[in-house]
Amino acid sequence: GLEPGEAAATAVEILAGAGGLTVKPAVGGALIAEGKACASSQELLDQVQLRVQRDGEVLRVYAQLPGEMQGVGLFYASLDLVISVPGDLAVDITDSSGEMTVDRVRLERIRDTSGDILARNVRGDFEMEDSSGNVRIEEAQGTVRIGDSSGDIVVQGATGVHVVVDGSGDIEIERISGDVRIERDSSGDINIAGVGGNVEVLADSSGKLRVS
């Protein structure tokens, strides 16, 4: 609930550690965060917590995991998160490992270390920084800005695409109403099809380039 005179929240920041992450629209006007914890011992399991706090107009949802035990050797702890977000909140995600699905929300930014990412039917211009794992974007209502180290990038439907840097892996881009700009690509094939605006590929080291 709101205190007297307190403004409504405008954004949600999600800090997820090891484990899967699903972000989807809420049925009502409230944010709902649920988690399923797994750990190699009861002691570690007791240290896994899901916390939600408010800082001004920003809601913060974060997974608290024990120390450096996130998926290392015989000792591990993870928290699979399902977060339902009201449609008017901008979503900012920081994730370390595990698969991520973001569906039908207003997206602002994703920062991810490892694991595949699927973003579909998201609204708004957003940026994505990914170290490893595949990135797939479907029917984005906005312009997406991507920086990726390794793994494939697939964008099927968006207003615009700006790939700042791509290390290894193929790039497939299709059905873009505006511009496509690829600044630097190291290796892997590039396929671009069905672009309403301009196509720019400024630097490409190796791999085939096909634009249609």
Side-chain angles (χ1 to χ4, degrees), residues 30-108:
L31 182 142
I32 300 173
E34 302 170 284
K36 179 181 179 181
C38 297
S40 55
S41 69
Q42 185 64 46
E43 181 183 0
L44 290 176
L45 188 64
D46 292 341
Q47 297 178 52
V48 178
Q49 295 186 34
L50 173 59
R51 297 181 179 273
V52 180
Q53 67 180 35
R54 178 162 179 151
D55 183 6
E57 296 182 359
V58 178
L59 294 171
R60 288 195 173 89
V61 180
Y62 60 97
Q64 183 172 300
L65 297 169
E68 300 299 321
M69 295 296 183
Q70 300 180 28
V72 178
L74 298 175
F75 303 97
Y76 67 88
S78 67
L79 183 60
D80 293 335
L81 292 175
V82 178
I83 301 175
S84 302
V85 178
D88 55 343
L89 296 186
V91 177
D92 185 319
I93 300 170
T94 301
D95 185 48
S96 62
S97 64
E99 294 187 357
M100 181 191 310
T101 300
V102 183
D103 188 18
R104 291 171 293 148
V105 298
R106 186 155 71 91
L107 189 57
E108 194 168 75

Side-chain angles (χ1 to χ4, degrees), residues 121-140:
N121 299 301
V122 292
R123 305 184 311 278
D125 299 340
F126 66 95
E127 60 180 279
M128 182 179 292
E129 301 168 25
D130 181 53
S131 295
S132 65
N134 297 324
V135 171
R136 186 178 186 89
I137 299 166
E138 299 176 356
E139 310 307 332

Side-chain angles (χ1 to χ4, degrees), residues 112-123:
D112 183 56
T113 303
S114 65
D116 294 346
I117 300 172
L118 170 61
R120 59 192 175 200
N121 299 301
V122 292
R123 305 184 311 278

Side-chain angles (χ1 to χ4, degrees), residues 184-205:
R184 183 157 53 93
D185 178 56
S186 295
S187 64
D189 295 344
I190 301 174
N191 290 294
I192 302 171
V195 178
N198 296 323
V199 174
E200 295 179 281
V201 180
L202 303 184
D204 178 41
S205 297

